Amino acid sequence: MTTEKITGTKVIDAEGAYITPGGIDAHVHLDQDDFPNGDTFETGTRSAIAGGTTSIIAFALQPKGQHDLEKAVDNYFERTECGAYCDYGFHLILSDPTPEVLKQLPRMVERGLTSLKVFTTYPMYKINDSELLDVLLETRKLKITMMIHAENYDVIKYLNEKLEQKKLTDPYYHAVSRPEEAEDEASYRVITLSKFVDTPILIVHMSCEASINHVENAQKKLLPVYAETCPQYLFLTSDYLKAGCEHHVHPEDPFEGAKYICSPPLRADTTELDGVWRKIQNGTVTIFSSDHAPSIYEHPNGKKRGLINGLPHYQHIPNGLSGVETRVPLLFCYGVETGRITPQRFVELCSTNPAKIYGLSETKGSIGVGMDADITIWYPKGKMLPFELTNEMLHHQIDHTAFAGMTFTNWPKYTVVRGELVWDRDNGGIVGKLGFGKFLKRGASALAGPRKELNPILA
Ligand code: URP
Ligand code: ZN
Ligand code: ZN
C-alpha cells in the first residue's frame, strides 16, 4: 500500500517485511565487444532494478593492441548514452598492460574507474605473471581495487587440445577442460604474488572450495585477500551442461547445455556447492555478484555460435550466464529465508561489502542518514505466493535464464533508487525512468593500498 502523506512524499508501508539496502552488483557485463548480443545499459539496468539491485558496475574493455586507455574507456561511456534505470560505474579490463598503458592509470582513477580486472586465462585477455606483478605495483600505488580472474591458462589449453583430438566437443566438455585444479593453482599463485607486492586483491567468480581455501588461509594470516562468488556456483552443477538434463527447459534439444557455459565452469556435484555455501557462511567470501554475462541462445553470434554444421564445439560458445535480476532474490530466498545465513550477512555480501571494496561506501551499501536512499523492500515472510521462475518473468533481453524452474519464496516488492520508486512489482512493475541512472565516479577502495614497506627489489 502506498499513500501520499505529505505533499511530494510517497510513503510505502513495508507491512513488517525486511527493508534492505539496494543491491550493488559489482560484476556485470553490458554491451561489451565480446558479448555482441548481450544486454545493453538499458536492458541490463532494467533487469537489475526488477531484482532489487540499485547500482551495477560494468566493464570497459581495453582490447589487446589498444594502448590509448582514454579512447578505450570513452568508447564504453558512449554505450551508456541509451540511458540507464539504476546507477552504474565501470571497472577497467586491462588486457595489454604495457609501460605506456600503465602510465595512464592515474587518469582512469581521476575519471572514477578505481578498480581494474585482469585475467590469467583466455587467449584474448591473458596476462603473464611478470605483467601481473607490474600491474599489482601500480594498483598498490594508486589504491586501485585489483580484480583477478584466476584459472591456469596452460592447463586449459592443454586439455582443450586433448579433448579436440578425442572429438569430445559437446558443451559438457567445457567444464572438463577447466578443472578445479586450474582455478586452485591460479588462485594460490595470484595470492602469492599479491603478498610479494604487498597489495590487496579480490579473486572474482570463485567456484569451488579448494580455491576459496587459499583465500581463507590468506585471511587467517591477515592478508588483504578477498573473494567473490556468484549464484551459479551455489545452485547449478555441471550436470546442467549435459544433453537431456532433467532441469532443462527443452530437454529434447541436445545443445541446451550451451546455456550453462561459464568460466570458471559449474562444478561436478552438490557437495561442491555446499562447500561454497560454507565459505559464504563462515565469512570467507567477501562479495556476491552475478557475473551477468549474457548471450542470446538462438542467435548465430550467441550460444548457437558453437553449433557448426550441426555439430557442437564448446570452444566456440560464448561464456557466461545472465543473472543480474535473480542474484539478490536467490540469496534472499535460499540464504535468509531458509536460515542458512543471517539477514546481516546477506546485506554485507550483496550491498555493504561491494560498496566498501569499490569506493562507494560514502553514499551506497547501507541505509543511513546522508546515504543515497537505495532501498529494497521485500514481501512479509509467507505473504508472497511462491512461484517457479520462467524467463518470461525477467526484464533482460535474453531468451533464457539458467535459473528457470527454481522456486522463489520471496522477491523484491519495491525497489527505490536515490529515493525514487523504480520497481513496484504489484503495480506496473518497472515504474522508473530510463535515464535516471547516474554514472558513479568512484573513490578509492576502503581496502586498497599498501600495508607495509615495499620489498626493495620492487622499488
Ligand atoms: O563465463 C564468464 N564468466 N564470462 C564472463 C567473462 C568473465 O570472465 O567474467
Ligand atoms: Zn572473469
Ligand atoms: Zn565476468
Side-chain angles (χ1 to χ4, degrees), residues 6-17:
I6 309 162
T7 316
T9 302
K10 183 172 279 223
V11 178
I12 300 176
D13 182 355
E15 298 173 80

Side-chain angles (χ1 to χ4, degrees), residues 244-373:
C245 168
E246 53 170 335
H247 299 290
H248 287 177
V249 176
H250 297 290
E252 71 288 357
D253 175 358
F255 194 61
E256 182 99 342
K259 293 178 179 173
Y260 301 87
I261 283 196
C262 56
S263 299
L266 306 178
R267 297 304 178 188
D269 56 43
T270 49
T271 347
E272 276 304 328
L273 310 187
D274 290 342
V276 181
W277 270 109
R278 275 196 295 281
K279 301 299 182 193
I280 288 227
Q281 288 164 319
N282 78 3
T284 306
V285 171
T286 325
I287 64 170
F288 187 69
S289 311
S290 66
D291 192 5
H292 183 80
S295 289
I296 294 172
Y297 179 68
E298 289 293 350
H299 192 287
N301 248 331
K303 295 282 183 184
K304 281 270 167 98
R305 194 174 72 197
L307 202 55
I308 303 168
N309 300 325
L311 291 176
H313 289 274
Y314 71 80
Q315 288 194 59
H316 295 268
I317 301 170
N319 286 205
L321 310 183
S322 62
V324 70
E325 190 166 342
T326 40
R327 171 190 76 118
V328 168
L330 278 169
L331 195 63
F332 192 84
C333 295
Y334 288 87
V336 178
E337 292 217 323
T338 61
R340 254 177 155 153
I341 57 170
T342 61
Q344 288 82 354
R345 181 79 184 117
F346 162 83
V347 167
E348 251 172 33
L349 287 159
C350 294
S351 310
T352 316
N353 284 352
K356 280 187 190 161
I357 290 243
Y358 292 114
L360 288 171
S361 54
E362 278 183 15
T363 49
K364 308 271 185 202
S366 23
I367 300 173
V369 177
M371 306 291 288
D372 284 352

Side-chain angles (χ1 to χ4, degrees), residues 27 117 119 122 149 204-205 263 291:
H27 193 147
K117 180 176 177 191
F119 296 79
Y122 292 139
H149 178 135
V204 292
H205 45 47
S263 299
D291 192 5

Side-chain angles (χ1 to χ4, degrees), residues 17-81:
Y18 277 116
I19 300 175
T20 53
I24 299 178
D25 194 341
H27 193 147
V28 177
H29 301 271
L30 296 180
D31 208 353
Q32 248 178 253
D33 282 346
D34 44 352
F35 295 103
N37 52 42
D39 272 306
T40 61
F41 277 80
E42 174 181 346
T43 62
T45 56
R46 180 177 72 199
S47 194
I49 57 171
T53 287
T54 50
S55 300
I56 58 117
I57 312 183
F59 293 86
L61 171 69
Q62 176 215 14
K64 274 206 194 292
Q66 165 61 277
H67 293 160
D68 184 344
L69 287 186
E70 201 87 68
K71 216 172 187 174
V73 165
D74 283 347
N75 189 300
Y76 277 86
F77 272 92
E78 279 163 25
R79 298 171 198 207
T80 67
E81 280 167 11

